[in-house]
Amino acid sequence: MGRSQQTFNKKENEKKKQKKKKDKEKKKEERKMDSDKGKNTEEMYAYVDEHGNITSTPPDPDRKIKEINAEDIEIGVPKKEDIEEETVRNGTITFFNDSKGYGFIKDHDSQESIFVHINNTLEPVSEGNHVTFETERGPRGMNAIQVKLLK
């Protein structure tokens, strides 16, 4: 009598492979049963109601909203209109570094801090001076230009 050539480990591995194969077939059959291929296209439609919610029922044609022009739809952030501000503003220099040539002016009306560079000053300025200035938009915010000392 001859002994079997398969060891215990080989038998266990073979059982695992067979079990895996059966599980795979079972899952395949379940996917076939749940497949959407045979469904009606009406069942797959989704509608948006007048409040923007997704529903499965089509909208009521009697409650139809007025027509919308495609040109009226703005995609993205609307552009800011150029606001006409006072051309000359008043403020106080709260910080100024002479060695680096820049500082900040606190606007008297809006209380915002506005950057000023020494190239944009018409007269020498220092901290605590009351000045008049105009503003322009810079890469990092508002910049003061045409800075003059108040007398």
Side-chain angles (χ1 to χ4, degrees):
M1 257 185 42
R3 276 178 43 186
S4 170
Q5 294 295 318
Q6 284 190 333
T7 61
F8 178 75
N9 241 0
K10 285 183 183 178
K11 287 180 186 178
E12 287 298 312
N13 286 341
E14 190 64 31
K15 283 181 187 177
K16 285 180 186 177
K17 282 182 186 178
Q18 292 297 326
K19 186 176 188 285
K20 220 182 232 188
K21 195 174 185 179
K22 285 180 184 176
D23 288 344
K24 192 173 182 179
E25 282 293 320
K26 190 176 177 183
K27 286 181 184 178
K28 185 178 177 182
E29 289 297 320
E30 286 176 4
R31 280 196 304 269
K32 273 188 182 178
M33 299 298 281
D34 295 337
S35 152
D36 287 340
K37 280 188 179 178
K39 285 191 176 178
N40 189 359
T41 55
E42 283 293 320
E43 294 175 12
M44 292 190 276
Y45 285 148
Y47 302 97
V48 178
D49 65 5
E50 64 270 8
H51 304 293
N53 300 322
I54 297 175
T55 64
S56 59
T57 57
D60 186 15
D62 297 336
R63 300 180 70 194
K64 188 175 180 182
I65 300 175
K66 64 179 172 102
E67 299 243 347
I68 299 172
N69 291 334
E71 293 84 30
D72 294 341
I73 300 173
E74 288 187 37
I75 298 175
V77 180
K79 291 184 179 178
K80 259 188 172 178
E81 297 295 325
D82 291 332
I83 301 169
E84 289 295 323
E85 295 184 17
E86 296 177 23
T87 54
V88 178
R89 299 163 81 174
N90 293 327
T92 304
I93 297 181
T94 56
F95 170 80
F96 197 81
N97 187 335
D98 289 320
S99 63
K100 294 188 178 179
Y102 74 92
F104 294 94
I105 299 174
K106 187 166 199 157
D107 188 6
H108 285 240
D109 297 332
S110 66
Q111 298 300 315
E112 66 180 315
S113 189
I114 299 168
F115 177 80
V116 61
H117 192 270
I118 199 163
N119 292 344
N120 296 330
T121 60
L122 301 175
E123 305 169 23
V125 293
S126 62
E127 282 186 34
N129 289 0
H130 294 285
V131 292
T132 61
F133 61 96
E134 296 176 17
T135 57
E136 71 176 5
R137 180 150 312 273
R140 291 188 175 179
M142 298 302 282
N143 292 340
I145 57 172
Q146 303 291 323
V147 180
K148 298 179 196 172
L149 285 172
L150 267 179
K151 299 198 174 159

